Amino acid sequence: MTPAALETYLHDHIPLSRAMAVRVVSSAPGHVELSAPLGPNINVHGTAFGGSVSTLGVLAAWSALHLRLDQEAIACQLVIHRSQIDYLAPIAGDFTAIARLDEANWPAFLHMLTRRGKARLTVVAELSFAGQVAARLTGEFVTIAEPHA
Amino acid sequence: MTPAALETYLHDHIPLSRAMAVRVVSSAPGHVELSAPLGPNINVHGTAFGGSVSTLGVLAAWSALHLRLDQEAIACQLVIHRSQIDYLAPIAGDFTAIARLDEANWPAFLHMLTRRGKARLTVVAELSFAGQVAARLTGEFVTIAEPHA
């Protein structure tokens, strides 16, 4: 899936991503970078709203895992189970989220998913502003394999 | 601040709340209920998007604390430091977030804020759909007293 195709998919299926004016900077299985402008994501202090920052992180983490599962051609449901975010610094302009799967965990995850039909994976997304990490989101996802047709 | 005034304030200062079509159901110092329709907050599964659910929880928790600080007439900056959310059940329609401050913690929080000029408070928001709790958000906020003019 090209960055443009992923962007269209997100905008069409998750309208909040369109309201946030999310752009896909780069996308590959297991590695996605998104960006968002400050304007639609501003808060009462004139910096990025925590809900927007967290949401961009979830979108990046979800997209990285979604594209990686796509590459394995595994039909499954992918849902978020838990997430945590630490806000490290104010974001006073456009910001990005980079999520990259830890490939070291992938074989065990895949084994569990194919054997048990269900597996969990934790994905970290780093949020940056002006070249500095400004927040860190950890998402725990559950995947449930879909039965063959 | 009436529910209508809080709603206008959120829509005007946090545009994401307007994009999510957030409504203020009830508001009092330390106790706020918000709602959001499924439409603008839907995901690829046809249920509520995790980013929207988390954001409604943050908005409820922030509003409850904001109104309580307002009542004390303390000029301070209120920022979110960390949040965690557990998604307990899919949300297949309009959903609500209720945040209520734990008054037991308030005196110690206020003492710290007035003595040290900075204090932290944890606020929980419960997200519900069709009368059942569907997610629980815990937000850790930092308040920094503003020097007197």
Side-chain angles (χ1 to χ4, degrees), chain A:
Chain A
M1 204 182 266
T2 64
L6 176 59
E7 193 171 303
T8 302
Y9 181 80
L10 292 176
H11 288 186
D12 287 354
H13 292 86
I14 304 176
L16 198 67
S17 69
R18 187 187 292 273
M20 288 173 57
V22 171
R23 303 293 308 267
V24 178
V25 178
S26 69
S27 65
H31 186 194
V32 166
E33 179 172 359
L34 306 179
S35 72
L38 183 60
N41 298 298
I42 208 160
N43 67 11
V44 300
H45 305 295
T47 55
F49 169 49
S52 287
V53 176
S54 168
T55 296
L56 196 71
V58 167
L59 285 169
W62 181 88
S63 297
L65 184 48
H66 176 72
L67 294 184
R68 188 73 177 83
L69 287 164
D70 227 40
Q71 187 187 38
E72 301 279 357
I74 298 174
C76 62
Q77 272 226 328
L78 171 58
V79 292
I80 191 159
H81 177 64
R82 175 180 293 144
S83 79
Q84 185 185 312
I85 184 163
D86 290 281
Y87 298 96
L88 308 170
I91 293 174
D94 302 354
F95 55 105
T96 60
I98 295 181
R100 195 190 309 258
L101 299 194
D102 185 347
E103 284 294 326
N105 299 330
W106 192 254
F109 165 78
L110 215 56
H111 181 76
M112 184 67 87
L113 183 58
T114 49
R115 290 289 283 268
R116 301 277 172 89
K118 187 173 177 177
R120 291 181 183 207
L121 194 73
T122 295
V123 183
V124 172
E126 268 193 356
L127 285 296
S128 295
F129 160 65
Q132 301 292 319
V133 175
R136 191 170 282 113
L137 176 131
T138 305
E140 192 184 317
F141 294 87
V142 176
T143 52
I144 301 162
E146 286 175 350
H148 294 288

Side-chain angles (χ1 to χ4, degrees), chain B residues 46-136:
Chain B
T47 54
F49 170 49
S52 288
V53 176
S54 168
T55 295
L56 195 72
V58 167
L59 286 168
W62 182 88
S63 298
L65 184 48
H66 177 73
L67 294 185
R68 188 72 178 81
L69 286 163
D70 228 39
Q71 186 186 38
E72 302 278 357
I74 299 174
C76 63
Q77 271 227 328
L78 171 60
V79 294
I80 190 159
H81 177 65
R82 176 179 293 143
S83 79
Q84 186 185 310
I85 183 164
D86 289 281
Y87 298 95
L88 307 171
I91 292 174
D94 302 355
F95 54 105
T96 60
I98 295 180
R100 194 191 310 256
L101 300 194
D102 185 346
E103 285 293 325
N105 300 329
W106 192 254
F109 165 79
L110 215 56
H111 181 77
M112 184 68 87
L113 183 59
T114 50
R115 290 290 282 267
R116 301 278 173 88
K118 187 173 175 176
R120 293 183 182 203
L121 193 73
T122 295
V123 184
V124 172
E126 267 192 357
L127 284 298
S128 295
F129 159 63
Q132 302 292 318
V133 176
R136 190 171 282 114

